[in-house]
Amino acid sequence: MLKYLKFMPVAAIDDASRNKRELAVAKEYGYDCYCYCDQSEGAIPELYPDFKLIVSGCKRPLEEKNAVKRFLINFRNVFIYIKELKPIKADIISCHNIVSLAVAYFTYAFRKNKPKFIYDSHEFELKKKPRNIIIYSFIKSLEFFLLKKSSLTIMINDGIADEVAKIHKLDYPRVVVRSTPDYWNIDSSVSDEMHREFCDKLGVSGDSFIIMYHGKLCRYRGIEEICKAMSMVPDIYLVTVGDYANSRYKTAFESMVNQYQISSRILQYPAQPLCELWKYVSAADCGIVMNNTDNPNYIYALPNKFFENIQSMAPIICSDSVEMARIIRQYDIGILSPSGDAEKLAENIEKMRTDKELYRKFKFNLVKAKDELCWEKEKEKLKAAFAKYL
């Protein structure tokens, strides 16, 4: 039996829903599955019986403010990753991002019998964030080199897959596998009860209109526009489900909420396990997914939360970005709103709240979208790619 390793040394298994689904498909296909991950509270091998969990022996300098110290710690960590990777002796190594792929490839670069490498590109790596010309050129050259060395590249959507091919002028072996969750069987009575809980905690009537942001609370996710929009529309309430990216953003968020005087209209929950998430998202009247489209990485983004709203049957207001807009238009399940425009977002939230006929149409169309955009159908593309390229 071939040994299949998911190599994600700079990612926590707690948040790796896409990676865990990939491992499940690999096991179903017949591989003996392993996962090498970052240290985290949820990195407990007994929690994952379907694959062997190997936890990294080092911690990343997430809160280290000194750039030089961060670099030195990360540089040291690379050697720890290499040391811990070699004994696993995997036949296939699927790498979480370009950093993981570079470490894995160069670990085996001078060995005769190399494993097959999969580049699992979760983002538009070259356009992930602004970089100077030297760093950009280095990453571009590295990605071009590693794409040619990989047996397969997994891309999260067609837009990024095509752009990467154009940038490198390379027809690389690839498959597009979107981050869709499993088909969610929604219990409407549970959703209704959770909606009542939201309203009770907010101290408002049970028919109040609830919008939801779920996912990590951080910059570039449209949270600033949501808060500003709320200050313009008095009859809406926000529920967030997710943790702060760091203490700095927590302070910034609280300051913003106080500035707009909307603290009494916001209810916050910590991040929830994926198996529990539907109870919260399906209880909202509308899901908000407003990525910042100033960054090309976000222009092409197609995040988990977008599909989780679909599986929860929650009509969506999202930024008019390439991939999300394509699905919104195809299925007619929500409203597109320009990124960075809080006034327009406020108008669209109010439209979602008051236009009952439009809202009913979105709910009706979500039935088809929910049926087609689920992991049970998406995973078949990954299995076909295994058969073709590995």
Side-chain angles (χ1 to χ4, degrees):
M1 185 181 293
L2 295 178
K3 188 179 291 187
Y4 188 101
L5 171 67
K6 188 69 195 184
F7 186 57
M8 37 184 278
V10 293
I13 191 68
D14 318 50
D15 303 323
S17 56
R18 175 184 169 91
N19 293 337
K20 285 181 277 192
R21 286 194 292 267
E22 178 193 334
L23 283 165
V25 174
K27 182 182 179 183
E28 184 179 333
Y29 192 78
Y31 295 129
D32 183 20
C33 295
Y34 292 71
C35 179
Y36 180 103
C37 69
D38 193 13
Q39 291 187 25
S40 66
E41 290 183 4
I44 302 171
E46 291 75 21
L47 296 177
Y48 305 98
D50 293 336
F51 53 86
K52 183 176 179 181
L53 192 68
I54 303 166
V55 182
S56 170
C58 56
K59 290 186 177 181
R60 289 185 293 140
L62 296 177
E63 296 297 328
E64 177 57 61
K65 296 180 181 180
N66 185 289
V68 174
K69 287 184 178 180
R70 266 202 319 273
F71 173 80
L72 291 174
I73 293 171
N74 284 324
F75 185 75
R76 178 207 63 191
N77 286 352
V78 167
F79 292 96
I80 297 175
Y81 300 149
I82 292 172
K83 180 181 177 181
E84 295 177 340
L85 177 61
K86 285 182 179 179
I88 301 173
K89 296 180 180 179
D91 300 290
I92 301 165
I93 304 179
S94 175
C95 302
H96 176 80
N97 55 23
I98 195 169
V99 174
S100 305
L101 179 59
V103 171
Y105 178 79
F106 290 110
T107 297
Y108 295 94
F110 302 105
R111 293 196 177 189
K112 186 176 181 180
N113 298 318
K114 297 182 180 65
K116 291 183 177 180
F117 297 100
I118 298 175
Y119 177 23
D120 183 18
S121 180
H122 287 229
E123 298 182 275
F124 195 171
E125 183 62 48
L126 281 171
K127 301 296 178 72
K128 186 162 66 174
K129 58 185 178 181
R131 296 184 172 105
N132 63 49
I133 188 63
I134 296 173
I135 295 177
Y136 177 85
S137 299
F138 171 77
I139 294 175
K140 181 180 177 183
S141 299
L142 179 65
E143 185 173 64
F144 177 74
F145 175 81
L146 292 173
L147 280 169
K148 293 198 296 181
K149 298 297 182 180
S150 298
S151 298
L152 172 64
T153 294
I154 304 173
M155 289 290 184
I156 58 171
N157 60 57
D158 292 293
I160 293 177
D162 293 342
E163 283 297 311
V164 169
K166 288 178 185 177
I167 289 170
H168 294 297
K169 299 178 183 178
L170 181 67
D171 185 18
Y172 58 98
R174 63 187 183 269
V175 61
V176 172
V177 180
R178 296 169 294 188
S179 297
T180 56
D182 294 333
Y183 186 91
W184 286 359
N185 292 302
I186 304 297
D187 185 335
S188 59
S189 64
V190 174
S191 302
D192 292 343
E193 184 178 345
M194 183 62 75
H195 190 280
R196 286 192 293 272
E197 178 182 311
F198 292 163
C199 294
D200 288 345
K201 289 186 174 182
L202 287 163
V204 297
S205 63
D207 61 352
S208 296
F209 194 79
I210 304 291
I211 63 173
M212 174 168 287
Y213 170 91
H214 76 279
K216 194 174 291 294
L217 283 86
C218 58
R219 295 174 60 198
Y220 308 121
R221 303 291 176 87
I223 297 171
E224 295 79 10
E225 293 120 89
I226 295 171
C227 290
K228 189 173 182 180
M230 287 185 66
S231 70
M232 303 175 188
V233 184
D235 296 324
I236 57 171
Y237 301 88
L238 171 67
V239 174
T240 69
V241 179
D243 300 327
Y244 292 102
N246 50 53
S247 58
R248 293 189 300 278
Y249 192 78
K250 182 177 186 294
T251 301
F253 178 82
E254 291 171 348
S255 175
M256 183 167 49
V257 166
N258 290 331
Q259 175 189 344
Y260 293 126
Q261 300 180 340
I262 55 173
S263 59
S264 63
R265 292 194 282 134
I266 296 178
L267 177 63
Q268 293 186 265
Y269 289 87
Q272 299 297 315
L274 188 61
C275 61
E276 296 289 313
L277 187 58
W278 68 269
K279 298 177 183 179
Y280 296 81
V281 184
S282 66
D285 296 294
C286 170
I288 309 288
V289 189
M290 290 297 298
N291 286 342
N292 185 328
T293 55
D294 291 341
N295 186 321
N297 186 46
Y298 287 118
I299 291 174
Y300 289 99
L302 199 51
N304 294 4
K305 64 171 71 69
F306 180 80
F307 293 111
E308 288 160 357
N309 275 292
I310 291 172
Q311 285 300 317
S312 298
M313 292 291 291
I316 303 167
I317 297 176
C318 70
S319 48
D320 191 0
S321 56
V322 175
E323 295 297 327
M324 289 193 292
R326 181 183 299 173
I327 292 175
I328 290 291
R329 293 190 179 104
Q330 178 182 350
Y331 292 98
D332 197 8
I333 53 175
I335 299 173
L336 298 173
S337 196
S339 174
D341 190 337
E343 185 173 339
K344 190 64 179 176
L345 177 59
E347 291 177 14
N348 288 328
I349 293 172
E350 186 65 2
K351 184 177 182 180
M352 186 73 80
R353 186 180 75 87
T354 58
D355 192 333
K356 304 301 183 185
E357 184 177 345
L358 181 68
Y359 190 83
R360 280 194 295 270
K361 181 181 72 170
F362 291 157
K363 293 286 279 190
F364 178 81
N365 291 342
L366 276 163
V367 175
K368 181 181 179 182
K370 174 184 172 71
D371 182 61
E372 295 183 358
L373 300 173
C374 61
W375 184 247
E376 286 81 353
K377 294 189 176 180
E378 200 72 15
K379 72 177 183 180
E380 294 304 317
K381 295 190 290 183
L382 186 57
K383 290 165 70 174
F386 286 167
K388 183 176 180 179
Y389 297 111
L390 304 181

